[in-house]
Amino acid sequence: RNVVIPARYANLLFSFLLSGMMSLLITGLTVLRTQGLSEGLVEAWLWGWLNGWAVAFPLVLVLAPATRRVVRALTDAPA
């Protein structure tokens, strides 16, 4: 059975998923560059990701309205 989330949570879900994916990729690349392919890489990556996501998700929620206003000001179509 599919889980259906009410549409009123779409912006929250989008922010949650995007911040999670972006922080996962960014911390992965950062840890790989700083540690190389070493023992403990996955543990360091996951720890860094959880810490990064804990910051990224609330920041996306706070910054999204201002970002939407900037996009509307820079474009001729509604954002």
Side-chain angles (χ1 to χ4, degrees), residues 4 7 9 15 24 31-32 44-45 53 55 57 60 62 77:
V4 178
Y9 297 114
S15 297
L24 180 71
V31 171
L32 184 61
W45 179 9
W53 198 4
V55 173
F57 179 51
V60 167
V62 169

Side-chain angles (χ1 to χ4, degrees), residues 14-37:
F14 178 85
S15 297
F16 181 77
L17 294 175
L18 183 62
S19 64
M21 290 184 284
M22 291 296 294
S23 58
L24 180 71
L25 293 170
I26 291 167
T27 56
L29 290 171
T30 302
V31 171
L32 184 61
R33 283 195 70 194
T34 58
Q35 287 190 218
L37 290 174

Side-chain angles (χ1 to χ4, degrees), residues 53-72:
W53 198 4
V55 173
F57 179 51
L59 281 176
V60 167
L61 293 176
V62 169
L63 296 174
T67 305
R68 285 188 196 99
R69 284 192 295 276
V70 169
V71 168
R72 276 194 301 270

